[in-house]
C-alpha cells in the first residue's frame, strides 16, 4: 500500500486513532493550532473534551486512565499551556498513571530564542515523566506517538510528554503507521525468577503470622483474582494502601482495612507484630510506614514489584520477586500450601472493635450535632450499593472518603496519592465519567480544593458529564486546620475560609444543586442526587472542626495511632 502524503498534524491524529485513543482532553492555542485544525476532521473517531484550564486536561486524562485501564491523553499549546500541565504530569508520575501529554511548541528555527510562548518543555518535564521527546520533523510523528504510548502503558505505567514543534505539524510527510513494541534499552517487565518465587512460597508456607500489603500494582496488573486466591489459599489477612483500596472488596473477610497515617487500627498495629510482611505492588510510602526505624523490624519481608528501583529503596526485603504482579502470583499459587491462621486473624478483631466503638460508630452514626463527613460518605456509598467510583480531592474529604466509602469492584478509587494535589478531584471525576460511562462517579471535595479547579464546572456543563459532586463544606482548609489543632496549639493561621455561594455558582453552570444542613434531610438529598440524570452538586454543611481519626502523627511509629485528640 502506497504511503499517503499528509501533514504532521494529520499524522498525529491518525497515529492517535491507531493507538486506540477515543477521547482527548485539551485546550487549543497558537502553537498547537495546526493539530487542532486536523482534529476538526476527526470528530467521528476522536472525542475532544474542551476543558477550561490545561491542568484540568491532565487530571481528566488521569481520571480516565485510572478507571479504564487505558492510556489517558491530553493536548495543549506551548508556553503557559505546557507549564499548566506540569502538576498533573508530576502527579501521574508518582502515582503510576499512564497518560500521554502532547504540547505545542514554537518552530525549530525559533527554539532557544525566547520566542513568544516558548518554554523548555523537555527540560522541565524530564525529571517528572517516564519519557519525553521533542518532535522536530513530520516524519518522526508516527514513531514518536507509538513509542510514547508503548512506554506510558508498559511495565510500571507513567506519563509521557511529547513536545510538538509547529513546523513538524505543518510539514508534509509520506505517512505510514508505526508500531513500537520493543525498545532495546527498555525492559518494562523483568523476567520472572522462579527461584525467587520458590523462596517466597517457602516463606509464606512457613509463616505463622503473615500480613499482606496490597498496593495499586495489583490493579495495574489486573491481578485482583490472583490476589484473592492467594489470600484464601494461605488464609492470610491483608491491608490496602490508599491507591490499592479497591484491589480487594471491602467486605472480603480477609480485608483488614486501610494502611497508613489515617488507616485502620488493626493492620497498622499488627504490622509490628507479624512475622512475615508480603508487599505486593506497593512502594512503602512514608505515609504507610511511619517511623521507618521501628517499622516491622521483627518481620521477614517479601516484596513483589515490577520496578527494580523500588526494591530495598525504603524497606529492606529478604526476598524480592521482580515481575508483573499477575505473572508472579500465577507462578506462586501452585506452590502455596493450604493453611489456616485463624488465631492470628482473630488478633485483629479487638483492634477493629476498639476502632469501631471509639471512632467509626460516632463518625457514621452520630445522634446529635451537625453533619459529619464520615456519615455523609457512608450514606452515599450505601445508596450506590457500594458499586460507584470514588473520586476525591485532597485533604480531609480524601481521608474520610477513602475510609468510609466501600468498594465492590476493581478500579473504584481515583485520588491523588503521592503528590497530594488539591484541585485534582473535579477534573479527574470528569475524566472518570468518560473512562467508565456505565458507572456512577461520586466526587467528594472540600471547599478549598473545589475552588482550585472550579472552572471545570464549565466542562461539566458543556458535556453534561454526570459527576455527582458531594461538597463537604466546613469553611476551613480542614486538613491543615487539623494539624494546626494537633501540633500548632490551635493557631489557625490562614485556614478559615470565606466561601462563595456554591448553589448560585452551580446554578450559573446549569448544574442541579441542593444544600443539606439537617441530618434528617440527608437521605432524600442523596436519593435526589443519584436519581438526577447528568451532574449534581450536593453541598453538605458539615462540622467545622471535625477530625480524621485514627491518626499516626508524622514521624511516629506506625502502631502509635491516636484514636482521639
Amino acid at each position: 500500500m502506497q504511503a499517503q502524503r499528509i501533514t504532521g498534524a494529520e499524522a498525529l491524529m491518525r497515529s492517535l486513532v491507531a493507538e486506540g485513543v477515543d477521547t482527548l482532553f485539551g485546550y487549543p492555542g497558537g502553537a498547537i493550532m495546526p493539530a487542532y485544525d486536523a482534529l476538526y476532521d476527526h470528530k467521528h473517531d476522536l472525542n475532544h473534551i474542551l476543558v477550561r484550564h490545561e491542568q484540568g486536561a491532565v487530571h481528566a486524562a488521569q481520571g480516565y486512565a485510572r478507571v479504564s485501564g487505558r492510556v489517558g491523553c491530553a493536548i495543549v499549546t506551548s508556553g503557559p499551556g505546557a507549564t499548566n500541565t506540569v502538576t498533573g504530569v508530576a502527579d501521574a508520575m508518582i502515582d503510576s498513571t499512564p497518560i500521554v501529554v502532547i504540547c505545542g511548541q514554537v518552530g525549530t528555527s525559533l527554539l532557544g530564542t525566547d520566542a513568544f510562548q516558548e518554554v523548555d518543555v523537555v527540560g522541565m518535564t524530564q525529571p517528572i515523566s517516564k519519557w519525553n521527546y521533542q518532535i522536530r520533523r513530520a516524519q518522526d510523528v508516527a514513531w514518536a506517538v507509538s513509542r510514547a504510548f508503548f512506554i506510558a502503558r508498559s511495565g510500571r505505567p507513567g506519563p509521557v510528554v511529547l513536545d510538538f514543534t509547529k513546523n513538524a505539524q505543518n510539514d508534509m510527510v509520506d505517512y505510514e503507521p508505526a508500531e513500537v513494541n520493543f525498545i532495546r534499552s527498555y525492559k518494562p517487565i523483568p523476567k520472572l525468577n522462579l527461584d525467587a518465587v520458590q523462596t517466597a512460597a517457602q516463606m509464606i508456607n512457613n509463616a505463622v503470622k503473615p500480613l499482606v500489603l496490597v498496593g495499586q500494582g495489583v490493579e495495574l496488573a489486573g491481578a485482583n483474582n490472583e490476589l484473592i486466591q492467594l489470600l484464601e489459599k494461605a488464609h492470610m489477612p491483608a491491608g490496602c494502601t490508599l491507591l490499592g483500596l479497591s484491589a480487594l472488596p471491602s467486605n472480603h473477610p480477609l480485608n483488614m482495612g486501610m494502611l497508613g497515617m489515617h488507616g485502620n487500627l488493626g493492620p497498622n498495629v499488627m504490622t509490628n507484630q507479624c512475622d512475615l510482611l508480603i508487599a505486593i505492588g506497593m512502594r512503602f510510602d512514608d505515609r504507610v510506614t511511619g517511623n521507618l526505624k521501628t517499622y516491622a523490624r521483627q518481620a521477614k519481608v517479601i516484596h513483589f514489584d515490577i520496578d527494580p528501583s523500588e526494591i530495598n529503596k525504603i524497606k529492606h526485603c529478604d526476598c524480592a520477586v521482580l515481575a508483573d504482579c499477575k505473572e508472579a502470583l500465577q507462578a506462586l499459587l501452585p506452590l502455596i500450601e493450604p493453611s489456616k491462621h485463624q488465631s492470628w486473624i482473630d488478633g485483629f478483631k479487638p483492634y477493629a472493635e476498639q476502632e469501631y466503638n471509639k471512632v467509626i460508630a460516632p463518625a457514621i452514626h452520630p445522634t446529635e450535632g451537625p453533619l459529619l463527613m464520615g456519615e455523609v460518605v457512608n450514606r452515599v456509598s450505601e445508596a450506590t450499593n457500594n458499586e460507584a467510583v470514588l473520586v476525591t480531592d485532597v485533604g480531609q474529604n480524601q481521608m474520610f472518603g477513602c475510609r468510609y466509602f466501600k468498594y465492590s469492584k476493581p478500579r473504584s478509587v481515583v485520588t491523588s496519592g503521592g503528590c497530594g494535589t488539591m484541585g485534582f478531584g473535579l477534573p479527574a471525576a470528569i475524566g472518570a465519567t468518560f473512562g467508565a460511562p456505565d458507572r456512577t462517579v461520586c466526587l467528594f471535595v472540600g471547599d478549598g480544593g473545589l475552588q482550585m479547579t472550579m472552572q471545570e464546572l464549565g466542562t461539566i456543563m458543556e458535556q453534561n458529564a454526570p459527576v455527582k459532586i458531594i461538597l463537604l463544606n466546613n469553611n476551613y482548609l480542614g486538613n491543615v486546620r487539623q494539624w494546626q489543632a494537633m501540633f500548632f496549639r490551635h493557631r489557625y493561621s490562614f485556614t478559615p475560609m470565606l466561601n462563595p455561594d456554591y448553589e448560585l455558582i452551580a446554578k450559573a453552570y446549569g448544574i442541579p444543586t441542593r444544600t443539606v444542613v439537617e441530618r434528617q434531610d440527608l437521605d432524600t438529598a442523596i436519593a435526589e442526587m443519584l436519581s438526577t440524570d447528568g451532574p449534581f452538586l450536593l453541598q453538605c454543611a458539615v462540622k467545622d472542626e471535625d477530625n480524621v481519626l485514627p491518626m499516626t502523627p508524622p514521624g511516629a511509629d506506625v502502631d502509635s495511632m491516636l484514636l482521639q485528640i
Side-chain angles (χ1 to χ4, degrees):
M1 181 178 178
Q2 187 174 4
Q4 187 177 2
R5 194 159 182 82
I6 58 175
T7 66
E10 174 65 20
L12 170 66
M13 298 306 147
R14 297 191 187 188
S15 297
L16 292 175
V17 172
E19 289 298 326
V21 175
D22 57 14
T23 305
L24 294 167
F25 303 93
Y27 203 93
I32 199 67
M33 206 172 294
Y36 267 85
D37 185 65
L39 180 59
Y40 190 84
D41 295 324
H42 283 268
K43 295 177 182 178
H44 61 288
D45 48 17
L46 289 170
N47 182 28
H48 179 272
I49 310 303
L50 177 66
V51 297
R52 298 310 190 255
H53 189 282
E54 291 88 355
Q55 181 181 353
V58 185
H59 291 329
Q62 289 178 271
Y64 175 94
R66 293 272 282 274
V67 298
S68 69
R70 304 171 66 187
V71 179
C73 193
I75 181 168
V76 302
T77 194
S78 65
T83 60
N84 284 342
T85 69
V86 169
T87 296
V89 173
D91 193 289
M93 185 67 176
I94 198 166
D95 282 353
S96 304
T97 304
I99 60 172
V100 171
V101 179
I102 301 163
C103 303
Q105 182 58 279
V106 301
T108 54
S109 63
L110 295 174
L111 289 173
T113 67
D114 293 329
F116 179 66
Q117 291 192 334
E118 179 199 2
V119 295
D120 182 4
V121 174
V122 171
M124 184 171 57
T125 61
Q126 188 170 21
I128 56 170
S129 62
K130 196 174 175 186
W131 182 63
N132 64 11
Y133 182 75
Q134 187 173 77
I135 304 174
R136 298 187 178 190
R137 307 183 308 166
Q139 54 262 48
D140 294 333
V141 171
W143 167 85
V145 171
S146 183
R147 183 180 172 110
F149 277 81
F150 173 63
I151 292 174
R153 69 165 67 96
S154 59
R156 180 179 182 176
V160 171
V161 178
L162 293 178
D163 192 35
F164 199 2
T165 62
K166 197 166 186 179
N167 62 282
Q169 298 174 53
N170 285 319
D171 289 348
M172 304 299 289
V173 60
D174 292 327
Y175 174 76
E176 292 184 6
E179 184 178 358
V180 176
N181 53 28
F182 172 78
I183 300 171
R184 185 174 60 182
S185 59
Y186 172 55
K187 307 296 181 186
I189 302 178
K191 184 178 179 180
L192 180 63
N193 184 331
L194 294 178
D195 289 339
V197 175
Q198 182 72 51
T199 299
Q202 291 174 354
M203 294 173 69
I204 292 172
N205 291 335
N206 293 332
V208 176
K209 297 186 290 184
L211 177 60
V212 179
L213 310 182
V214 179
Q216 185 191 200
V218 172
E219 292 214 296
L220 295 176
N224 305 72
N225 291 335
E226 287 80 3
L227 170 70
I228 292 173
Q229 292 175 49
L230 173 64
L231 295 179
E232 292 178 350
K233 189 174 185 180
H235 200 226
M236 297 184 294
C240 299
T241 66
L242 184 72
L243 297 184
L245 281 171
S246 62
L248 187 61
S250 299
N251 63 356
H252 194 284
L254 294 172
N255 187 347
M256 300 299 153
M258 188 168 81
L259 301 164
M261 176 177 283
H262 288 295
N264 293 107
L265 183 61
N268 279 331
V269 171
M270 299 300 255
T271 294
N272 280 357
Q273 296 182 24
C274 67
D275 64 357
L276 180 64
L277 207 59
I278 305 155
I280 306 178
M282 57 87 69
R283 58 187 179 85
F284 291 106
D285 178 76
D286 60 282
R287 287 292 174 97
V288 167
T289 65
N291 181 7
L292 199 59
K293 293 180 180 178
T294 62
Y295 179 77
R297 289 180 302 176
Q298 78 294 338
K300 296 288 186 181
V301 178
I302 303 172
H303 195 173
F304 292 83
D305 208 288
I306 200 170
D307 186 352
S309 71
E310 293 297 344
I311 302 300
N312 295 323
K313 183 177 83 173
I314 295 173
K315 177 67 178 175
H316 171 77
C317 70
D318 301 279
C319 174
V321 182
L322 271 171
D324 172 85
C325 282
K326 191 179 186 75
E327 180 187 10
L329 294 184
Q330 286 175 342
L332 177 70
L333 278 167
L335 306 178
I336 296 298
E337 299 170 359
S339 184
K340 289 290 182 184
H341 296 103
Q342 194 60 53
S343 60
W344 164 239
I345 292 171
D346 287 344
F348 286 77
K349 293 180 181 178
Y351 296 108
E353 292 172 357
Q354 183 183 8
E355 181 182 355
Y356 184 83
N357 292 331
K358 291 189 175 182
V359 177
I360 297 175
I364 65 175
H365 298 303
T367 57
E368 58 184 5
L371 282 171
L372 300 181
M373 294 189 219
E375 71 173 312
V376 175
V377 174
N378 180 65
R379 302 274 270 277
V380 172
S381 184
E382 289 180 344
T384 64
N385 198 30
N386 302 327
E387 293 181 347
V389 173
L390 168 75
V391 184
T392 81
D393 204 76
V394 167
Q396 287 186 319
N397 65 87
Q398 178 184 35
M399 294 296 103
F400 275 113
C402 290
R403 276 183 57 84
Y404 294 114
F405 214 76
K406 302 302 178 194
Y407 317 98
S408 59
K409 297 180 179 180
R411 294 191 175 273
S412 293
V413 178
V414 180
T415 192
S416 174
C419 214
T421 303
M422 288 183 69
F424 171 89
L426 190 62
I430 295 171
T433 65
F434 287 95
D438 57 332
R439 300 187 65 186
T440 300
V441 175
C442 295
L443 165 67
F444 289 90
V445 62
D447 41 307
L450 179 60
Q451 293 187 75
M452 285 199 170
T453 51
M454 192 162 60
Q455 69 277 353
E456 298 309 328
L457 292 173
T459 307
I460 290 177
M461 173 183 66
E462 183 168 343
Q463 301 296 329
N464 198 35
V467 181
K468 309 304 182 185
I469 307 166
I470 301 96
L471 170 59
L472 302 174
N473 190 349
N474 58 7
N475 296 294
Y476 270 109
L477 296 176
N479 211 45
V480 182
R481 182 213 55 77
Q482 179 172 334
W483 282 48
Q484 288 173 335
M486 295 177 68
F487 310 119
F488 293 90
R489 305 185 308 282
H490 291 85
R491 290 160 57 90
Y492 294 160
S493 180
F494 298 99
T495 46
M497 295 192 73
L498 178 62
N499 281 314
D501 188 326
Y502 290 107
E503 279 202 11
L504 285 178
I505 291 172
K507 289 175 181 176
Y509 285 102
I511 297 173
T513 181
R514 181 168 173 177
T515 295
V516 176
V517 177
E518 302 297 333
R519 181 163 291 111
Q520 63 265 26
D521 300 326
L522 181 59
D523 286 338
T524 56
I526 292 172
E528 179 184 349
M529 174 183 71
L530 295 177
S531 64
T532 299
D533 290 335
F536 194 97
L537 173 65
L538 175 60
Q539 177 177 216
C540 297
V542 296
K543 182 180 178 181
D544 56 358
E545 294 193 28
D546 201 1
N547 294 312
V548 187
L549 293 167
M551 180 178 182
T552 302
D557 299 344
V558 69
D559 54 357
S560 299
M561 299 198 82
L562 302 176
L563 297 181
Q564 59 186 19
I565 298 177

